[in-house]
Coordinates of all heavy atoms in Angstrom, one line a residue:
M1 N 0.9 -1.2 0.0 CA 0.0 0.0 0.0 C 0.9 1.3 0.0 O 1.9 1.3 -0.7 CB -0.9 0.0 1.2 CG -1.7 -1.3 1.4 SD -3.0 -1.5 0.3 CE -4.3 -1.9 1.4
G2 N 0.5 2.3 0.8 CA 1.3 3.5 0.7 C 2.6 3.4 1.6 O 2.8 2.4 2.3
E3 N 3.4 4.4 1.5 CA 4.6 4.4 2.2 C 4.4 4.8 3.7 O 3.5 5.6 4.0 CB 5.6 5.4 1.6 CG 6.4 4.9 0.5 CD 7.4 5.9 -0.1 OE1 8.2 6.5 0.6 OE2 7.2 6.2 -1.3
A4 N 5.1 4.1 4.5 CA 4.9 4.5 5.9 C 5.6 5.8 6.3 O 6.7 6.1 5.8 CB 5.6 3.4 6.8
E5 N 4.9 6.7 7.0 CA 5.4 8.0 7.3 C 6.2 7.9 8.6 O 5.6 7.4 9.6 CB 4.3 9.0 7.4 CG 3.6 9.3 6.1 CD 2.5 10.3 6.3 OE1 2.6 11.3 6.9 OE2 1.4 9.9 5.8
R6 N 7.3 8.4 8.6 CA 8.2 8.3 9.8 C 7.7 9.4 10.8 O 7.4 10.5 10.4 CB 9.6 8.6 9.4 CG 10.3 7.3 9.1 CD 11.7 7.4 8.5 NE 11.9 6.5 7.4 CZ 12.9 6.5 6.6 NH1 13.8 7.5 6.7 NH2 13.1 5.6 5.7
G7 N 7.7 9.0 12.1 CA 7.4 10.0 13.1 C 5.9 10.1 13.3 O 5.5 10.7 14.3
E8 N 5.1 9.5 12.5 CA 3.7 9.6 12.7 C 3.2 8.3 13.4 O 3.9 7.3 13.4 CB 3.0 9.7 11.3 CG 3.2 11.0 10.6 CD 2.5 12.2 11.1 OE1 1.3 12.0 11.4 OE2 3.2 13.2 11.4
A9 N 2.1 8.4 14.0 CA 1.5 7.2 14.6 C 1.2 6.2 13.5 O 0.8 6.6 12.4 CB 0.2 7.6 15.3
A10 N 1.4 5.0 13.8 CA 1.2 3.9 12.8 C -0.2 4.0 12.4 O -1.1 4.1 13.2 CB 1.6 2.6 13.4
P11 N -0.5 3.9 11.1 CA -1.9 3.8 10.6 C -2.6 2.7 11.2 O -2.1 1.6 11.4 CB -1.8 3.8 9.1 CG -0.4 3.3 8.8 CD 0.4 3.7 10.0
R12 N -3.9 2.9 11.5 CA -4.7 1.9 12.2 C -5.8 1.4 11.2 O -6.3 2.2 10.3 CB -5.4 2.5 13.4 CG -4.5 3.1 14.4 CD -4.2 2.1 15.5 NE -2.8 2.4 16.0 CZ -2.3 1.6 16.9 NH1 -2.9 0.6 17.3 NH2 -1.1 1.8 17.4
Q13 N -6.2 0.2 11.5 CA -7.4 -0.3 10.8 C -8.3 -0.8 11.9 O -8.0 -1.3 12.9 CB -7.0 -1.4 9.9 CG -6.3 -2.6 10.6 CD -5.9 -3.7 9.6 OE1 -6.6 -3.9 8.7 NE2 -4.7 -4.3 9.8
L14 N -9.6 -0.5 11.6 CA -10.6 -0.9 12.6 C -11.2 -2.2 12.1 O -11.7 -2.3 11.0 CB -11.7 0.2 12.7 CG -11.2 1.5 13.3 CD1 -12.3 2.6 13.3 CD2 -10.7 1.3 14.7
V15 N -11.2 -3.2 13.0 CA -11.8 -4.5 12.7 C -12.9 -4.7 13.6 O -12.8 -4.5 14.8 CB -10.7 -5.5 12.8 CG1 -11.2 -6.9 12.5 CG2 -9.5 -5.2 11.9
T16 N -14.0 -5.2 13.1 CA -15.2 -5.5 13.9 C -15.3 -7.1 14.1 O -15.2 -7.8 13.1 CB -16.5 -5.1 13.2 OG1 -16.4 -3.7 12.8 CG2 -17.7 -5.2 14.1
Y17 N -15.5 -7.4 15.3 CA -15.6 -8.8 15.7 C -17.0 -9.0 16.3 O -17.7 -8.2 16.8 CB -14.6 -9.2 16.8 CG -13.2 -9.2 16.3 CD1 -12.3 -8.2 16.4 CD2 -12.7 -10.5 15.7 CE1 -11.1 -8.3 15.9 CE2 -11.5 -10.5 15.2 CZ -10.6 -9.4 15.3 OH -9.4 -9.5 14.8
F18 N -17.5 -10.2 16.0 CA -18.9 -10.6 16.4 C -18.8 -11.8 17.3 O -18.2 -12.8 16.9 CB -19.8 -10.9 15.2 CG -19.8 -9.7 14.2 CD1 -18.8 -9.6 13.2 CD2 -20.8 -8.8 14.3 CE1 -18.9 -8.6 12.3 CE2 -20.8 -7.7 13.4 CZ -19.9 -7.6 12.4
C19 N -19.5 -11.7 18.5 CA -19.5 -13.0 19.3 C -20.9 -13.5 19.3 O -21.8 -13.0 18.7 CB -19.2 -12.7 20.8 SG -20.5 -11.9 21.7
S20 N -21.1 -14.7 19.8 CA -22.4 -15.4 19.8 C -23.5 -14.7 20.6 O -24.6 -15.1 20.6 CB -22.2 -16.9 20.2 OG -21.7 -17.0 21.4
H21 N -23.1 -13.8 21.4 CA -24.1 -12.9 22.0 C -24.6 -11.7 21.3 O -25.1 -10.8 21.9 CB -23.6 -12.5 23.5 CG -23.5 -13.6 24.5 ND1 -22.8 -13.6 25.6 CD2 -24.1 -14.9 24.4 CE1 -23.0 -14.7 26.3 NE2 -23.7 -15.5 25.6
D22 N -24.2 -11.7 20.1 CA -24.5 -10.5 19.2 C -23.8 -9.2 19.7 O -24.4 -8.1 19.4 CB -26.1 -10.3 19.2 CG -26.7 -11.2 18.3 OD1 -26.1 -11.8 17.4 OD2 -27.9 -11.5 18.5
H23 N -22.7 -9.3 20.3 CA -22.0 -8.1 20.6 C -21.1 -7.8 19.4 O -20.6 -8.7 18.8 CB -21.1 -8.4 21.9 CG -21.9 -8.6 23.1 ND1 -21.5 -9.5 24.0 CD2 -22.9 -8.0 23.6 CE1 -22.4 -9.5 25.0 NE2 -23.3 -8.6 24.8
R24 N -20.9 -6.6 19.2 CA -20.0 -6.1 18.2 C -18.9 -5.3 18.9 O -19.1 -4.4 19.6 CB -20.8 -5.0 17.4 CG -20.8 -5.2 15.9 CD -21.6 -4.1 15.4 NE -22.6 -4.7 14.6 CZ -22.8 -4.1 13.4 NH1 -22.2 -3.0 13.0 NH2 -23.8 -4.7 12.7
S25 N -17.8 -5.8 18.6 CA -16.5 -5.1 19.2 C -15.6 -4.6 18.1 O -15.2 -5.4 17.2 CB -15.8 -6.1 20.1 OG -16.7 -6.9 20.8
V26 N -15.3 -3.3 18.1 CA -14.4 -2.8 17.1 C -13.0 -2.6 17.8 O -12.9 -2.1 18.8 CB -14.9 -1.4 16.6 CG1 -14.0 -0.8 15.7 CG2 -16.3 -1.5 16.0
V27 N -12.1 -3.2 17.2 CA -10.7 -3.3 17.7 C -9.8 -2.6 16.6 O -9.9 -2.9 15.5 CB -10.3 -4.7 18.0 CG1 -8.9 -4.8 18.6 CG2 -11.3 -5.5 18.8
A28 N -9.0 -1.8 17.1 CA -8.0 -1.1 16.2 C -6.6 -1.8 16.2 O -6.1 -2.2 17.2 CB -7.8 0.4 16.7
F29 N -6.3 -2.2 15.0 CA -5.0 -2.8 14.8 C -4.1 -1.9 13.9 O -4.6 -1.1 13.1 CB -5.1 -4.1 14.1 CG -5.9 -5.2 14.9 CD1 -7.2 -5.4 14.7 CD2 -5.1 -5.9 15.9 CE1 -7.8 -6.3 15.5 CE2 -5.8 -6.8 16.7 CZ -7.1 -7.1 16.5
S30 N -2.8 -2.0 14.1 CA -1.9 -1.4 13.1 C -2.2 -2.0 11.8 O -2.4 -3.2 11.7 CB -0.5 -1.6 13.6 OG 0.3 -1.4 12.5
T31 N -2.0 -1.2 10.8 CA -2.3 -1.7 9.4 C -1.2 -2.8 9.1 O -1.4 -3.6 8.2 CB -2.3 -0.7 8.3 OG1 -1.1 0.2 8.5 CG2 -3.6 0.2 8.5
E32 N -0.1 -2.7 9.8 CA 1.0 -3.7 9.5 C 0.8 -4.9 10.3 O 1.4 -6.0 9.9 CB 2.3 -3.1 9.9 CG 2.8 -2.0 9.0 CD 3.9 -1.2 9.5 OE1 4.6 -1.6 10.5 OE2 4.1 0.0 9.1
A33 N 0.0 -4.9 11.3 CA -0.3 -6.1 12.1 C -1.2 -7.0 11.4 O -2.1 -6.6 10.6 CB -0.9 -5.7 13.4
Q34 N -1.0 -8.3 11.6 CA -1.9 -9.3 11.1 C -3.1 -9.4 11.9 O -3.0 -9.5 13.1 CB -1.2 -10.7 11.0 CG -2.0 -11.6 10.2 CD -1.2 -12.8 9.7 OE1 0.0 -13.0 10.1 NE2 -1.8 -13.6 8.9
V35 N -4.2 -9.2 11.3 CA -5.5 -9.3 12.1 C -5.9 -10.7 12.5 O -6.0 -11.5 11.6 CB -6.6 -8.6 11.2 CG1 -8.0 -8.7 11.9 CG2 -6.3 -7.2 10.9
P36 N -6.0 -10.9 13.8 CA -6.4 -12.3 14.2 C -7.8 -12.6 13.7 O -8.7 -11.7 13.6 CB -6.2 -12.2 15.7 CG -6.3 -10.8 16.1 CD -5.9 -10.0 14.9
E37 N -8.0 -13.9 13.4 CA -9.3 -14.3 13.0 C -10.4 -14.3 14.2 O -11.5 -14.2 13.9 CB -9.2 -15.8 12.4 CG -8.8 -15.7 10.9 CD -8.7 -17.1 10.4 OE1 -9.4 -18.0 10.9 OE2 -7.9 -17.3 9.5
S38 N -9.8 -14.4 15.3 CA -10.7 -14.4 16.5 C -10.2 -13.5 17.6 O -9.0 -13.3 17.7 CB -11.0 -15.8 17.0 OG -9.9 -16.3 17.6
W39 N -11.1 -13.0 18.4 CA -10.8 -12.0 19.4 C -11.7 -12.2 20.6 O -12.9 -12.5 20.3 CB -10.9 -10.6 18.8 CG -10.4 -9.5 19.7 CD1 -11.0 -8.7 20.5 CD2 -9.0 -9.1 19.8 NE1 -10.1 -7.9 21.1 CE2 -8.9 -8.2 20.6 CE3 -7.8 -9.6 19.1 CZ2 -7.6 -7.5 20.9 CZ3 -6.6 -9.1 19.4 CH2 -6.5 -8.0 20.3
D40 N -11.2 -12.2 21.8 CA -12.2 -12.3 22.9 C -13.1 -11.1 23.1 O -12.5 -10.0 23.1 CB -11.4 -12.6 24.2 CG -10.8 -13.9 24.3 OD1 -11.2 -14.8 23.5 OD2 -10.0 -14.1 25.2
C41 N -14.3 -11.4 23.1 CA -15.3 -10.3 23.2 C -15.1 -9.6 24.5 O -15.0 -10.1 25.6 CB -16.8 -10.8 23.1 SG -18.0 -9.5 23.5
P42 N -14.8 -8.2 24.5 CA -14.5 -7.5 25.8 C -15.8 -7.3 26.6 O -15.8 -7.0 27.8 CB -14.1 -6.1 25.3 CG -14.4 -6.0 23.8 CD -14.7 -7.4 23.3
K43 N -17.0 -7.6 26.0 CA -18.3 -7.5 26.8 C -18.6 -8.7 27.6 O -19.2 -8.7 28.7 CB -19.4 -7.1 25.9 CG -19.2 -5.7 25.4 CD -20.3 -5.3 24.4 CE -20.0 -3.9 23.8 NZ -20.0 -3.8 22.4
C44 N -18.4 -9.9 27.0 CA -18.8 -11.1 27.7 C -17.6 -12.2 27.8 O -17.8 -13.2 28.4 CB -20.0 -11.7 27.0 SG -19.7 -12.4 25.4
G45 N -16.5 -11.9 27.1 CA -15.4 -12.8 27.2 C -15.5 -14.1 26.3 O -14.5 -14.8 26.3
L46 N -16.5 -14.1 25.5 CA -16.6 -15.2 24.6 C -15.8 -15.0 23.4 O -15.5 -13.8 23.0 CB -18.1 -15.5 24.1 CG -19.0 -16.0 25.2 CD1 -20.4 -16.2 24.6 CD2 -18.5 -17.3 25.7
P47 N -15.3 -16.0 22.7 CA -14.5 -15.7 21.5 C -15.5 -15.1 20.4 O -16.6 -15.4 20.2 CB -14.1 -17.1 21.0 CG -15.0 -18.1 21.7 CD -15.4 -17.4 23.0
A48 N -14.9 -14.2 19.6 CA -15.6 -13.4 18.6 C -14.9 -13.6 17.3 O -13.7 -13.8 17.3 CB -15.8 -12.0 19.0
S49 N -15.6 -13.6 16.2 CA -15.0 -13.8 14.9 C -15.3 -12.6 14.0 O -16.1 -11.8 14.2 CB -15.3 -15.2 14.3 OG -16.6 -15.0 13.7
L50 N -14.6 -12.6 12.8 CA -14.8 -11.6 11.8 C -16.1 -11.8 11.1 O -16.6 -10.9 10.5 CB -13.7 -11.6 10.9 CG -12.3 -11.3 11.5 CD1 -11.2 -11.7 10.4 CD2 -12.2 -9.9 11.8
D51 N -16.7 -13.0 11.2 CA -17.9 -13.3 10.3 C -19.1 -13.1 11.2 O -19.3 -13.9 12.1 CB -17.7 -14.8 9.9 CG -18.8 -15.2 9.0 OD1 -19.8 -14.3 8.7 OD2 -18.8 -16.3 8.4
C52 N -19.9 -12.1 10.8 CA -21.0 -11.7 11.6 C -22.1 -12.8 11.5 O -23.0 -12.9 12.4 CB -21.6 -10.4 11.3 SG -22.2 -10.3 9.5
D53 N -22.1 -13.5 10.4 CA -23.2 -14.6 10.3 C -22.7 -15.9 11.0 O -23.6 -16.8 11.1 CB -23.4 -14.9 8.8 CG -24.1 -13.7 8.1 OD1 -24.9 -13.1 8.7 OD2 -23.7 -13.5 7.0
N54 N -21.6 -16.0 11.4 CA -21.1 -17.2 11.9 C -20.1 -17.1 13.0 O -19.0 -17.4 13.0 CB -20.4 -18.0 10.8 CG -20.1 -19.4 11.1 OD1 -20.8 -20.0 12.0 ND2 -19.2 -20.1 10.5
P55 N -20.6 -16.4 14.2 CA -19.7 -16.3 15.3 C -19.3 -17.7 15.9 O -20.1 -18.6 15.8 CB -20.6 -15.5 16.3 CG -22.0 -15.8 15.9 CD -22.0 -16.1 14.4
P56 N -18.2 -17.7 16.5 CA -17.8 -19.0 17.1 C -18.6 -19.3 18.2 O -19.2 -18.5 18.9 CB -16.3 -18.6 17.7 CG -16.3 -17.2 17.8 CD -17.2 -16.6 16.8
P57 N -19.0 -20.6 18.4 CA -19.8 -21.1 19.5 C -19.2 -20.9 20.8 O -17.9 -20.9 20.9 CB -20.0 -22.6 19.2 CG -18.8 -22.9 18.4 CD -18.4 -21.8 17.6
A58 N -19.9 -20.8 21.8 CA -19.4 -20.6 23.2 C -18.7 -21.8 23.6 O -19.2 -22.9 23.4 CB -20.6 -20.3 24.1
P59 N -17.5 -21.7 24.1 CA -16.8 -22.9 24.6 C -17.6 -23.6 25.7 O -18.3 -22.9 26.5 CB -15.5 -22.3 25.0 CG -15.7 -20.9 25.4 CD -16.9 -20.5 24.5
K60 N -17.3 -24.9 26.0 CA -17.9 -25.6 27.0 C -17.6 -25.0 28.4 O -18.5 -24.9 29.2 CB -17.5 -27.1 27.0 CG -17.9 -27.7 25.7 CD -18.6 -29.0 25.9 CE -19.4 -29.4 24.6 NZ -19.2 -30.8 24.3
I61 N -16.5 -24.6 28.6 CA -16.1 -24.0 29.9 C -16.1 -22.5 29.7 O -15.2 -21.9 29.1 CB -14.7 -24.5 30.4 CG1 -14.8 -26.0 30.5 CG2 -14.4 -23.8 31.7 CD1 -13.3 -26.6 30.5
E62 N -17.2 -21.9 30.2 CA -17.3 -20.4 30.0 C -16.6 -19.7 31.0 O -16.6 -20.2 32.2 CB -18.8 -20.1 30.0 CG -19.5 -20.6 28.7 CD -20.9 -20.0 28.6 OE1 -21.3 -19.0 29.3 OE2 -21.8 -20.6 27.9
P63 N -16.0 -18.6 30.8 CA -15.2 -17.9 31.8 C -16.2 -17.3 32.9 O -15.8 -17.4 34.0 CB -14.6 -16.7 31.0 CG -15.4 -16.7 29.8 CD -15.9 -18.0 29.4
Y64 N -17.4 -17.0 32.6 CA -18.3 -16.5 33.6 C -19.5 -17.5 33.8 O -20.5 -17.3 33.2 CB -18.8 -15.1 33.3 CG -17.8 -14.2 32.8 CD1 -17.7 -13.7 31.5 CD2 -16.8 -13.7 33.7 CE1 -16.7 -12.9 31.2 CE2 -15.8 -12.9 33.3 CZ -15.8 -12.4 32.0 OH -14.8 -11.6 31.6
K65 N -19.2 -18.5 34.6 CA -20.3 -19.4 34.8 C -21.1 -19.1 36.0 O -20.6 -18.8 37.1 CB -19.7 -20.9 35.0 CG -20.6 -22.0 34.7 CD -19.9 -23.3 34.9 CE -19.9 -24.0 33.6 NZ -19.3 -25.3 33.6
T66 N -22.4 -19.2 35.8 CA -23.3 -18.9 36.8 C -23.5 -20.0 37.8 O -23.3 -21.2 37.4 CB -24.7 -18.4 36.3 OG1 -25.3 -19.5 35.6 CG2 -24.6 -17.2 35.5
H67 N -24.1 -19.8 39.0 CA -24.4 -20.9 39.9 C -25.4 -21.7 39.3 O -25.4 -23.0 39.4 CB -24.9 -20.3 41.2 CG -25.3 -21.3 42.2 ND1 -24.4 -22.1 42.8 CD2 -26.5 -21.7 42.7 CE1 -25.0 -23.0 43.6 NE2 -26.3 -22.8 43.5
L68 N -26.4 -21.2 38.6 CA -27.4 -22.0 37.9 C -26.8 -23.0 37.0 O -27.3 -24.1 36.9 CB -28.4 -21.0 37.3 CG -29.6 -21.7 36.6 CD1 -30.5 -22.3 37.8 CD2 -30.5 -20.7 35.9
A69 N -25.9 -22.5 36.3 CA -25.2 -23.4 35.2 C -24.6 -24.6 36.0 O -24.6 -25.7 35.4 CB -24.2 -22.6 34.5
Y70 N -24.0 -24.3 37.1 CA -23.4 -25.4 37.8 C -24.5 -26.4 38.3 O -24.3 -27.6 38.1 CB -22.6 -24.9 39.0 CG -21.2 -24.5 38.7 CD1 -20.9 -23.1 38.9 CD2 -20.3 -25.4 38.3 CE1 -19.6 -22.7 38.6 CE2 -19.0 -25.0 38.0 CZ -18.6 -23.7 38.2 OH -17.4 -23.3 37.9
V71 N -25.6 -25.9 38.8 CA -26.6 -26.8 39.3 C -27.2 -27.6 38.1 O -27.4 -28.8 38.2 CB -27.7 -25.9 39.9 CG1 -29.0 -26.7 40.2 CG2 -27.2 -25.2 41.2
K72 N -27.4 -26.9 37.0 CA -28.0 -27.6 35.8 C -27.0 -28.8 35.4 O -27.4 -29.9 35.1 CB -28.1 -26.6 34.6 CG -29.5 -26.0 34.6 CD -29.6 -25.2 33.4 CE -30.8 -24.3 33.4 NZ -30.7 -23.3 32.4
E73 N -25.8 -28.5 35.4 CA -24.7 -29.5 35.0 C -24.8 -30.7 35.9 O -24.8 -31.8 35.5 CB -23.4 -28.8 35.0 CG -22.5 -29.4 34.0 CD -21.3 -28.4 33.8 OE1 -20.4 -28.6 34.6 OE2 -21.2 -27.6 32.9
R74 N -24.8 -30.4 37.2 CA -24.8 -31.4 38.3 C -26.1 -32.3 38.0 O -26.0 -33.5 38.0 CB -25.0 -30.8 39.7 CG -23.6 -30.3 40.1 CD -23.3 -31.0 41.4 NE -22.1 -30.2 41.9 CZ -22.3 -29.2 42.8 NH1 -23.4 -29.0 43.4 NH2 -21.2 -28.6 43.3
R75 N -27.2 -31.6 37.8 CA -28.5 -32.4 37.7 C -28.4 -33.3 36.5 O -28.8 -34.5 36.6 CB -29.6 -31.4 37.5 CG -31.0 -32.1 37.6 CD -32.1 -31.1 37.3 NE -32.2 -30.1 38.3 CZ -32.9 -29.0 38.0 NH1 -33.3 -28.7 36.8 NH2 -33.0 -28.0 38.9
S76 N -27.8 -32.8 35.4 CA -27.9 -33.7 34.2 C -26.9 -34.8 34.4 O -27.1 -35.9 33.9 CB -27.4 -32.8 33.0 OG -26.1 -32.4 33.1
D77 N -25.8 -34.6 35.2 CA -24.9 -35.7 35.5 C -25.7 -36.7 36.3 O -25.5 -37.9 36.1 CB -23.8 -35.2 36.3 CG -22.6 -34.6 35.5 OD1 -22.8 -34.9 34.3 OD2 -21.7 -34.1 35.9
A78 N -26.4 -36.3 37.3 CA -27.2 -37.2 38.2 C -28.2 -37.9 37.4 O -28.4 -39.2 37.5 CB -27.9 -36.4 39.3
E79 N -28.9 -37.3 36.4 CA -29.8 -37.9 35.5 C -29.1 -39.0 34.7 O -29.7 -40.1 34.5 CB -30.5 -36.9 34.7 CG -31.7 -36.2 35.3 CD -32.2 -35.0 34.6 OE1 -31.7 -34.9 33.5 OE2 -33.1 -34.3 35.1
A80 N -28.0 -38.6 34.2 CA -27.3 -39.6 33.4 C -26.9 -40.9 34.2 O -27.1 -41.9 33.7 CB -26.0 -39.0 32.8
A81 N -26.5 -40.6 35.4 CA -26.1 -41.8 36.3 C -27.4 -42.6 36.5 O -27.3 -43.8 36.6 CB -25.5 -41.2 37.6
E82 N -28.5 -41.9 36.7 CA -29.7 -42.6 37.0 C -30.2 -43.5 35.8 O -30.5 -44.6 36.0 CB -30.8 -41.6 37.3 CG -31.8 -41.9 38.4 CD -32.6 -40.7 38.7 OE1 -33.6 -40.5 38.1 OE2 -32.3 -40.0 39.7
I83 N -30.1 -42.9 34.7 CA -30.5 -43.6 33.5 C -29.6 -44.8 33.3 O -30.0 -46.0 32.9 CB -30.4 -42.6 32.2 CG1 -31.5 -41.6 32.3 CG2 -30.4 -43.5 30.9 CD1 -31.3 -40.5 31.4
L84 N -28.2 -44.7 33.5 CA -27.3 -45.8 33.4 C -27.8 -46.8 34.4 O -27.7 -48.0 34.1 CB -25.9 -45.2 33.7 CG -24.8 -46.3 33.4 CD1 -24.7 -46.6 31.9 CD2 -23.5 -45.7 34.0
D85 N -28.0 -46.4 35.6 CA -28.4 -47.3 36.7 C -29.7 -48.1 36.3 O -29.7 -49.4 36.4 CB -28.8 -46.5 38.0 CG -27.8 -47.0 39.1 OD1 -26.6 -47.1 38.8 OD2 -28.3 -47.1 40.2
E86 N -30.6 -47.4 35.8 CA -31.8 -48.1 35.3 C -31.5 -49.1 34.2 O -32.0 -50.3 34.3 CB -32.8 -47.1 34.7 CG -33.8 -46.6 35.7 CD -34.8 -45.5 35.2 OE1 -35.1 -45.7 33.9 OE2 -35.1 -44.6 35.8
A87 N -30.7 -48.7 33.3 CA -30.4 -49.6 32.2 C -29.7 -50.9 32.7 O -29.9 -52.0 32.3 CB -29.5 -48.9 31.2
L88 N -28.8 -50.7 33.7 CA -28.1 -51.8 34.3 C -29.1 -52.8 35.0 O -28.9 -53.9 34.9 CB -27.0 -51.3 35.2 CG -25.8 -50.8 34.5 CD1 -24.8 -50.2 35.5 CD2 -25.0 -51.8 33.7
N89 N -29.9 -52.2 35.8 CA -30.9 -53.0 36.5 C -31.7 -53.8 35.5 O -32.1 -54.9 35.8 CB -31.8 -52.1 37.4 CG -31.0 -51.6 38.6 OD1 -30.1 -52.2 39.1 ND2 -31.5 -50.5 39.2
L90 N -32.2 -53.1 34.5 CA -33.0 -53.8 33.5 C -32.3 -54.9 32.9 O -32.8 -56.0 32.7 CB -33.4 -52.7 32.4 CG -34.6 -53.0 31.6 CD1 -35.8 -53.1 32.4 CD2 -34.7 -52.0 30.5
L91 N -31.0 -54.7 32.6 CA -30.2 -55.7 31.9 C -30.0 -56.9 32.9 O -30.1 -58.1 32.5 CB -28.8 -55.1 31.7 CG -28.0 -55.7 30.6 CD1 -28.7 -55.5 29.2 CD2 -26.6 -55.1 30.5
R92 N -29.8 -56.6 34.2 CA -29.6 -57.6 35.2 C -30.9 -58.5 35.4 O -30.9 -59.6 35.5 CB -29.2 -57.0 36.6 CG -27.8 -56.6 36.6 CD -27.4 -56.2 38.0 NE -26.1 -55.4 37.9 CZ -26.1 -54.2 38.3 NH1 -27.1 -53.5 38.8 NH2 -24.9 -53.5 38.2
S93 N -32.0 -57.8 35.4 CA -33.3 -58.4 35.6 C -33.6 -59.3 34.4 O -34.2 -60.5 34.6 CB -34.4 -57.5 35.9 OG -34.7 -56.7 34.8
R94 N -33.2 -58.8 33.3 CA -33.4 -59.7 32.1 C -32.6 -60.9 32.1 O -33.0 -62.0 31.8 CB -33.2 -58.9 30.8 CG -34.2 -57.9 30.3 CD -33.9 -57.2 29.2 NE -34.9 -56.2 28.8 CZ -34.7 -55.2 28.0 NH1 -33.5 -55.1 27.4 NH2 -35.6 -54.4 27.7
R95 N -31.4 -60.7 32.6 CA -30.5 -61.9 32.6 C -31.0 -62.9 33.6 O -30.9 -64.1 33.3 CB -29.1 -61.3 33.0 CG -28.1 -61.6 32.0 CD -26.7 -61.2 32.4 NE -26.1 -60.3 31.5 CZ -25.1 -59.4 31.7 NH1 -24.6 -59.4 33.0 NH2 -24.6 -58.7 30.9
K96 N -31.5 -62.4 34.7 CA -32.0 -63.3 35.7 C -33.1 -64.2 35.2 O -33.2 -65.4 35.4 CB -32.5 -62.5 37.0 CG -31.6 -62.7 38.2 CD -32.2 -61.9 39.4 CE -31.2 -60.9 39.8 NZ -31.8 -59.8 40.7
S97 N -34.1 -63.5 34.5 CA -35.2 -64.2 34.1 C -34.9 -65.0 32.8 O -35.7 -65.8 32.4 CB -36.4 -63.3 33.9 OG -36.0 -62.4 32.9
G98 N -33.8 -64.7 32.2 CA -33.4 -65.4 31.0 C -34.3 -64.9 29.8 O -34.3 -65.5 28.7
D99 N -35.1 -63.8 30.0 CA -35.9 -63.3 29.0 C -35.3 -62.1 28.3 O -35.5 -61.1 28.8 CB -37.3 -63.0 29.6 CG -38.3 -62.5 28.6 OD1 -38.1 -62.8 27.4 OD2 -39.2 -61.8 29.0
I100 N -34.6 -62.4 27.2 CA -33.9 -61.3 26.6 C -34.7 -60.8 25.4 O -35.1 -61.5 24.5 CB -32.5 -61.8 26.1 CG1 -31.7 -62.2 27.3 CG2 -31.8 -60.7 25.3 CD1 -30.4 -63.0 27.0
V101 N -35.1 -59.5 25.5 CA -35.9 -59.0 24.5 C -35.2 -57.7 23.9 O -34.7 -56.9 24.7 CB -37.3 -58.5 25.1 CG1 -38.1 -57.9 23.9 CG2 -38.0 -59.6 25.8
F102 N -35.1 -57.7 22.7 CA -34.5 -56.5 22.0 C -35.5 -55.7 21.3 O -36.4 -56.2 20.6 CB -33.4 -57.0 21.1 CG -32.1 -57.4 21.9 CD1 -31.8 -58.7 22.0 CD2 -31.4 -56.5 22.6 CE1 -30.7 -59.1 22.7 CE2 -30.3 -56.8 23.3 CZ -29.9 -58.2 23.4
Ligands
ZN201 ZN1 -19.9 -10.8 23.5

């Protein structure tokens, strides 16, 4: 592009990032810097990308996890364990009776 002017502030380019919470973050980079493809959203901490139609999905481990999220996670774990237990019991009872139905 143009010649770099000495003694002046480096020319900047404004890059807009989009996160999955519909936040728009404008970040200034030097025109000489390579613009990263993703950037942490300063508003919610989720990764944001250059593509407004396709923001990166929230990672499984979110930086700001609420208490409710923890409770939900625990519950689903307990449910999973319960389902597994049920399945095992069913399997055992079937084995006992010798009545195997698929
Ligand atoms: Zn955000």
